Amino acid sequence: MRQITTRNLTALSLLAIVSFAAAPVNAQEHCESDFVCIFNGQNLDGWHGATTGYFAKDCMLISKKESGGNLFTNKEYKNFVLRFDFKLEPGANNGIGFHVPKDLDKKSPAFAGKEIQILDDTADKYAKLQNYQYHGSLYGTAPAKRGHLNPIGEWNSQEISVDGNKVKVTLNGTVIVDYDMADAKKNGTLDGKDHPGLKRDTGYLALLGHGARIEFKNLRVKELE
């Protein structure tokens, strides 16, 4: 029998470390036990819509620059907690749609359903937006607290919780939106426009790209009763 020396053990250990590092990452392994990953880290299986406007790379789901579009989950959700990480480029603009119907009837998902803004608040071109249009806001309806995005080029972590009429958005550990949609249903929206999506309580989740490269990862969801 060949004798295993200290040198052999060191070499074997290094080989194991290298092999582990080179192994493909299974996105599901990074999900908390009560969450389900909705992006597998390798391709767009489980999504439909503007599949040519996004691509998978290094466990990231990336919105193409000058492209993007509306990319929907194959499954519909009612009450849920969505967690994800994202990284913006300068001037980036996207959104997280929820309760979005299959048939948009030529309406934007922000109106046919609802949209949480994903936006570079620091960009000069967005300096004159309304407060309900900045990052984390429930578009047209509830403004988010500003100043909690990490610098451009760094990763951010965000959670969106929807439970009945209650919407809560947490960015990098800070609650930036805590809103009861019953108020908008009763008193109207801040933008004064018709939002038929406020009447919906179920629908698709969606990435709503507007021609900017944005990297997403660790997209996972927990359904609530």
Side-chain angles (χ1 to χ4, degrees), residues 3 15 31 52 118 128 139-140 146 166 174 210 222 225:
Q3 185 177 6
L15 179 60
C31 274
T52 59
I118 303 290
K128 295 183 180 180
Y139 188 84
R146 297 179 62 187
K166 302 296 181 64
T174 298
H210 299 288
K222 176 172 68 175
E225 294 183 0

Side-chain angles (χ1 to χ4, degrees), residues 2 35-36 40 59 99 121 135 144 158 177 179 187 219 222:
R2 182 180 177 183
F35 280 73
V36 174
N40 65 19
C59 290
H99 295 169
D121 284 354
H135 180 86
Q158 186 155 303
V177 170
Y179 183 70
N187 301 313
L219 292 107
K222 176 172 68 175

Side-chain angles (χ1 to χ4, degrees), residues 71-187:
L71 184 68
F72 306 95
T73 56
N74 285 348
K75 181 176 179 178
E76 296 187 56
Y77 296 89
K78 185 175 183 179
N79 298 321
F80 60 88
V81 178
L82 173 67
R83 291 177 179 170
F84 60 97
D85 302 320
F86 67 95
K87 183 166 60 175
L88 303 172
E89 69 171 8
N93 185 2
N94 203 294
I96 301 293
F98 65 96
H99 295 169
V100 180
K102 183 175 183 178
D103 183 6
L104 293 174
D105 193 26
K106 298 183 180 180
K107 293 184 176 65
S108 163
F111 297 92
K114 297 111 172 169
E115 178 181 359
I116 299 296
Q117 282 283 74
I118 303 290
L119 192 79
D120 170 18
D121 284 354
T122 66
D124 289 342
K125 64 181 179 179
Y126 301 137
K128 295 183 180 180
L129 292 182
Q130 299 296 320
N131 60 357
Y132 50 74
Q133 293 177 299
Y134 285 105
H135 180 86
S137 298
L138 179 60
Y139 188 84
T141 304
K145 297 176 183 177
R146 297 179 62 187
H148 298 285
L149 280 166
N150 288 333
I152 295 300
E154 294 185 10
W155 285 99
N156 297 271
S157 293
Q158 186 155 303
E159 176 182 288
I160 300 171
S161 173
V162 176
D163 192 1
N165 282 320
K166 302 296 181 64
V167 178
K168 181 182 288 187
V169 180
T170 305
L171 174 64
N172 297 322
T174 298
V175 176
I176 59 173
V177 170
D178 192 354
Y179 183 70
D180 189 335
M181 292 184 289
D183 179 68
K185 293 177 182 180
K186 180 180 178 181
N187 301 313

